[in-house]
């Protein structure tokens, strides 16, 4: 069974930083692209970032480019999202998802990031 | 960038009803389209990919159709567990984009 467990979400002030983690199990992590998708309270889904299976290619939404950085440690089966210069509009539940091409096949339960003073 | 537009934004239906949700892409995406179901407080779940292929374990009352720019998701006979919000997503090219969602509510 595929399991994706996000952690690291919390309340941070505007301009602050945070690192989210996503621990994966139940599949061969190193052979799958992984993505982050977020959902602001009461809003729809927004794709944030994707990283290739080996980590050599990364992709970002324009809204987060230059502030959020995706990475992975295939030896630890873990995906990360480093979030810098956070803004109130970054407030959302952040989901990690296992991908196949651009399809998002399996999702974690999400972790809430709140950016507020 | 490809934009995805869903309609309606919400639909009220009764148990046993046939429900159809529409999704339009701003340019040709062939059949590179997915449908997701999301229940309140839960993560989205992949229902259909490649416009019409059911993900393993998804009930056969769900079906998807379309190609090019116009797509639809149909629930043939609405069940209690189907009340949720549904999203389409284009998987044709970067950046992947979701539609705004369609909430299926109880009439």
């Amino acid at each position: 069974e595929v399991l994706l467990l996000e952690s690291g979400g919390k309340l941070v002030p505007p301009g602050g930083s945070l690192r989210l983690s996503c621990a994966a199990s139940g599949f061969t992590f190193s052979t799958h692209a992984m993505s982050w998708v977020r959902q602001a309270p009461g809003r729809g889904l927004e794709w944030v970032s994707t990283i290739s299976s080996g980590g050599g290619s990364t992709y970002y939404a324009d809204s987060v480019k230059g502030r959020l950085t995706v990475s992975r440690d295939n030896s630890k089966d873990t995906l990360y999202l480093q979030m810098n210069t956070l803004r109130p509009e970054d407030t959302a539940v952040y989901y990690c998802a296992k991908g196949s091409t651009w399809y998002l096949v399996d999702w974690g339960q999400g972790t809430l990031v709140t950016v507020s003073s | 960038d490809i934009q995805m537009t869903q309609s309606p934004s919400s639909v009220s239906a009764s148990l046993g009803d046939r429900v159809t949700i529409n999704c339009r892409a701003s340019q040709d995406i062939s059949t590179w389209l997915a449908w997701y179901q999301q229940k309140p407080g839960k993560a989205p779940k992949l229902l259909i990919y490649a416009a019409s292929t059911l993900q393993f374990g998804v009930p056969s009352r769900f079906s998807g159709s379309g190609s090019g720019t116009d797509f639809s998701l149909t629930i043939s006979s609405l069940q209690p567990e189907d009340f949720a919000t549904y999203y389409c997503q284009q998987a044709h090219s970067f950046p992947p984009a979701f539609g705004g969602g369609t909430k299926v509510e109880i009439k």
Side-chain angles (χ1 to χ4, degrees), chain A residues 38-70:
Chain A
R38 68 184 181 183
Q39 186 169 37
R43 305 296 297 274
L45 301 171
E46 179 188 16
W47 171 80
V48 172
S49 182
T50 296
I51 186 167
S52 61
S53 58
S57 296
T58 56
Y59 308 85
Y60 298 95
D62 286 346
S63 58
V64 306
K65 198 175 298 181
R67 301 186 301 115
L68 274 58
T69 302
V70 63

Side-chain angles (χ1 to χ4, degrees), chain A residues 6-78:
Chain A
E6 302 94 335
S7 61
K10 66 177 185 179
L11 173 65
V12 292
S17 297
L18 196 60
R19 188 176 84 157
L20 306 183
S21 300
C22 171
S25 61
F27 66 102
T28 305
F29 182 74
S30 62
T31 63
H32 290 270
M34 297 293 295
S35 295
W36 290 97
V37 175
R38 68 184 181 183
Q39 186 169 37
R43 305 296 297 274
L45 301 171
E46 179 188 16
W47 171 80
V48 172
S49 182
T50 296
I51 186 167
S52 61
S53 58
S57 296
T58 56
Y59 308 85
Y60 298 95
D62 286 346
S63 58
V64 306
K65 198 175 298 181
R67 301 186 301 115
L68 274 58
T69 302
V70 63
S71 62
R72 63 192 297 161
D73 185 338
N74 285 347
S75 69
K76 296 182 178 179
D77 292 349
T78 302

Side-chain angles (χ1 to χ4, degrees), chain B residues 13-36:
Chain B
S14 301
L15 294 178
D17 283 355
R18 181 182 182 90
V19 173
T20 297
I21 298 167
N22 300 300
C23 178
R24 175 166 289 175
S26 61
Q27 58 187 270
D28 189 340
I29 60 170
S30 185
T31 57
W32 290 95
L33 185 98
W35 289 98
Y36 300 87

Side-chain angles (χ1 to χ4, degrees), chain A residues 37 39 43-47 50 59-62 65 95 101-110, chain B residues 1 31-34 36 38 42-44 46 49-50 55 87 89 91-96 98 100:
Chain A
V37 175
Q39 186 169 37
R43 305 296 297 274
L45 301 171
E46 179 188 16
W47 171 80
T50 296
Y59 308 85
Y60 298 95
D62 286 346
K65 198 175 298 181
Y95 296 100
T101 59
W102 291 113
Y103 295 120
L104 302 168
V105 180
D106 296 286
W107 298 61
Q109 86 293 341
Chain B
D1 295 359
T31 57
W32 290 95
L33 185 98
Y36 300 87
Q38 187 180 32
K42 301 296 186 181
L46 177 65
Y49 62 95
Q55 175 69 345
Y87 296 91
Q89 178 232 330
H92 177 271
S93 56
F94 172 84
F98 293 93

